[in-house]
Amino acid sequence: MSCNELQFDMNDIFNSIKSNLEKGIGVTISGCGNSMSPFIENGKDRILLNRISENKRIRAGEIYLYRRSGGSYAIHRVYKVKKDFVLMLGDSQLFIEYVPKTELLAIVTKVFKEDGIIIDSTNFLFIFRYALKAKLKIYKHRISNTRIRFIGFIKGIICVCARKIKMASMLFMLKSTKVITKGINLRH
């Protein structure tokens, strides 16, 4: 079943999730959307959410359910931790969201893959590996954008130079024509 086939009020579902999390009961939901692909596959993988403990230190690479400023909910990876907020990034996204720490609602502790593999998303090596991948993706995107801008800059210079060369050659041709015509006596 695709996650697009069901229509529901996310606030009602979240209230149920929140109630269970407050009681210390983990909640399993299906992955919906492509922002965490390929780690969490749309409609195929299940995600175990748990309550965030009071003294929990948030680390880059961990995955959280959070409320966005517009009221919608998302599950993304922590890219960077600041004093009062975290930078969140979906594995297949290129833009970063600034999220106040107070809007983090649950931590993803396990991902149940469609093929039966269970991934512990709180394992430090796992977190390090995916945090590194997220950072490399950002740098790769920046380098790619810089390369594209540089290539565009060079193309612009080439076009300007080509126009100047074309104009210079046209002027040269005009001057050459004048020199030739000056030497010819047109009156006979």
Side-chain angles (χ1 to χ4, degrees):
M1 176 185 303
S2 169
C3 62
N4 296 330
E5 294 176 16
L6 299 175
Q7 295 294 321
F8 50 82
D9 182 4
M10 192 60 184
N11 288 321
D12 291 341
I13 291 173
F14 175 71
N15 288 334
S16 175
I17 291 171
K18 187 177 175 183
S19 171
N20 284 322
L21 291 171
E22 286 171 351
K23 295 174 190 172
I25 301 170
V27 177
T28 303
I29 61 172
S30 288
C32 190
N34 295 313
S35 65
M36 286 296 290
S37 179
F39 182 67
I40 299 172
E41 292 292 337
N42 181 23
K44 296 178 181 176
D45 300 335
R46 292 175 299 125
I47 306 159
L48 177 61
L49 301 171
N50 281 300
R51 178 177 60 190
I52 304 168
S53 62
E54 300 264 338
N55 57 355
K56 171 76 176 106
R57 184 174 148 243
I58 300 165
R59 298 186 299 184
E62 292 178 327
I63 304 169
Y64 287 88
L65 166 68
Y66 63 95
R67 186 182 3 255
R68 290 177 160 154
S69 58
S72 63
Y73 300 91
I75 294 176
H76 288 157
R77 194 177 304 282
V78 174
Y79 172 66
K80 200 172 212 177
V81 181
K82 298 291 186 176
K83 183 180 178 186
D84 296 326
F85 62 92
V86 292
L87 282 65
M88 303 298 284
L89 176 69
D91 287 357
S92 64
Q93 292 183 317
L94 296 175
F95 65 93
I96 297 172
E97 293 181 74
Y98 291 76
V99 179
K101 288 182 178 178
T102 56
E103 295 301 314
L104 297 178
L105 307 169
I107 184 169
V108 174
T109 53
K110 292 193 186 318
V111 176
F112 302 94
K113 302 297 283 176
E114 183 181 39
D115 58 6
I117 295 173
I118 301 171
I119 300 172
D120 179 2
S121 60
T122 60
N123 179 302
F124 176 74
L125 290 175
F126 168 83
I127 292 168
F128 177 76
R129 179 175 152 215
Y130 278 94
L132 183 62
K133 271 187 174 181
K135 286 185 181 186
L136 288 174
K137 181 170 60 172
I138 294 295
Y139 293 132
K140 181 180 176 184
H141 178 68
R142 285 182 185 161
I143 289 168
S144 175
N145 279 348
T146 303
R147 189 180 76 218
I148 289 167
R149 284 194 301 266
F150 179 72
I151 290 170
F153 175 72
I154 296 299
K155 282 182 179 177
I157 289 173
I158 291 169
C159 287
V160 168
C161 291
R163 274 188 247 131
K164 288 186 178 187
I165 290 169
K166 187 175 181 181
M167 289 177 71
S169 66
M170 288 173 67
L171 285 172
F172 177 75
M173 287 175 60
L174 284 173
K175 286 181 181 178
S176 307
T177 309
K178 285 181 184 177
V179 169
I180 293 170
T181 54
K182 273 186 178 179
I184 299 174
N185 187 358
L186 297 175
R187 291 188 210 173
H188 275 304

